[in-house]
Amino acid sequence: VYPKELIFAHVKSTVGVVALIGLASLLIEVVLLYYILRRKVARPLALFTKAVKDVEAGGHNVCFETLSNDEIGELAESISIMAQKIHDRELERENVLNQERLARQESEKALQLREDFVSLAAHEFRTPLTPLKLQLNQLAFYLEKMKRGEPVDISRVTQLLSLSDKHIYRLNRRIEEMLDASHMRNGRL
């Protein structure tokens, strides 16, 4: 039969070759795994990180070419859809803000028109009221004179009554004009 040393030498050399082949295949597997992980996981993750930072900074043009048809590809598609939805919502929000800004400007303009109208109406009412008040004061003065039995210029009293009547007519006309304008605005004229 075979001597032990020869068998051990042969086993030793075989174990060395098998160990060397095992190490070589392990090294090949590690290199292949590194390449696959880098290509299939690390590169897409770097792209995802960049895309998320772009979206965070306000960019919305995040679009990936089809990376793969697996979970990584689904994640890429989901990030693209999310970025587009964020962009759409931002546009919608800006549109709503612009509409609100325009409505506020129109409201402020309407308030200013109303204030101008009230100011003008007050002036238009005050214009005939001031002389009317003075004429009524003069008439009251003449009435007091008459009560005391003092002479009164009847032509002046008649003139004051006529002027008062004209101012009352002007005041009444302004009120009717305002009511007509209100009816026209409400479509009831």
Side-chain angles (χ1 to χ4, degrees), residues 3-169:
K4 273 185 169 184
E5 293 88 27
L6 190 60
I7 292 176
F8 278 132
H10 188 41
V11 167
K12 234 180 174 184
S13 71
T14 305
V15 167
V17 169
V18 168
L20 191 61
I21 290 173
L23 281 175
S25 73
L26 181 64
L27 182 64
I28 290 171
E29 286 177 24
V30 166
V31 168
L32 284 174
L33 187 60
Y34 171 78
Y35 173 75
I36 290 170
L37 286 177
R38 182 170 164 82
R39 185 165 187 272
K40 295 285 186 178
V41 176
R43 186 174 139 251
L45 285 178
L47 290 173
F48 296 156
T49 303
K50 182 183 178 304
V52 168
K53 286 181 180 179
D54 285 348
V55 169
E56 182 181 47
H60 303 291
N61 294 331
V62 176
C63 189
F64 297 103
E65 74 275 356
T66 303
L67 295 173
S68 60
N69 291 328
D70 56 4
E71 292 83 6
I72 300 285
E74 288 178 23
L75 182 60
E77 186 177 340
S78 294
I79 290 175
S80 294
I81 291 170
M82 177 194 65
Q84 183 61 45
K85 286 184 178 181
I86 289 172
H87 176 66
D88 293 346
R89 287 195 178 110
E90 282 290 317
L91 289 177
E92 183 179 326
R93 184 178 81 48
E94 286 179 28
N95 190 22
V96 167
L97 286 174
N98 285 335
Q99 289 174 352
E100 188 274 335
R101 193 175 301 119
L102 288 173
R104 187 180 27 198
Q105 288 172 350
E106 288 176 12
S107 174
E108 288 171 358
K109 190 185 282 186
L111 284 173
Q112 183 62 45
L113 284 173
R114 186 187 74 184
E115 288 175 13
D116 292 346
F117 174 76
V118 168
S119 174
L120 180 66
H123 175 74
E124 287 294 321
F125 285 127
R126 209 175 287 126
T127 300
L129 279 177
T130 302
L132 180 62
K133 183 178 177 184
L134 290 172
Q135 291 157 4
L136 290 174
N137 283 340
Q138 282 184 332
L139 285 170
F141 172 73
Y142 286 131
L143 186 61
E144 286 297 320
K145 273 180 95 173
M146 285 173 65
K147 282 183 184 178
R148 288 191 307 255
E150 297 177 17
V152 175
D153 183 5
I154 296 296
S155 65
R156 178 68 181 143
V157 170
T158 306
Q159 180 187 16
L160 286 172
L161 285 172
S162 175
L163 286 172
S164 296
D165 188 48
K166 285 180 186 176
H167 289 297
I168 289 171
Y169 173 78

